[in-house]
Amino acid sequence: MGEILVIAYIIWAIYSGYKVISGRSEWLDKKAPVNMIVKGILSLIIGCFVALFYLIYLILKFLGFMSKG
């Protein structure tokens, strides 16, 4: 079960990073192999931070919901 959560988190991180990076740099948006590789790596790195903040937000929201009980 833990492996599925890690895979889902990584997919979510890549998607989040891709959405943040898209349209911000003309060089990254070109369809060249090197540009696409760099964009994929940056999507993963930036997406991990974005997804981490979303995850912390969801956990705090869940804890607030549970405390209202």
Side-chain angles (χ1 to χ4, degrees):
M1 181 67 179
E3 295 86 10
I4 294 172
L5 292 175
V6 170
I7 291 171
Y9 177 80
I10 291 172
I11 291 171
W12 186 25
I14 293 171
Y15 174 75
S16 298
Y18 185 80
K19 294 290 279 186
V20 168
I21 291 175
S22 292
R24 299 207 180 222
S25 171
E26 184 179 328
W27 185 81
L28 287 174
D29 289 336
K30 290 182 182 175
K31 298 291 184 189
V34 174
N35 301 14
M36 294 172 68
I37 291 170
V38 171
K39 189 173 186 177
I41 293 169
L42 286 175
S43 295
L44 179 63
I45 293 169
I46 292 172
C48 283
F49 290 111
V50 171
L52 179 66
F53 285 119
Y54 278 129
L55 186 63
I56 291 170
Y57 171 75
L58 289 175
I59 290 171
L60 292 176
K61 190 174 180 180
F62 176 73
L63 291 176
F65 176 75
M66 293 301 289
S67 68
K68 289 182 183 177

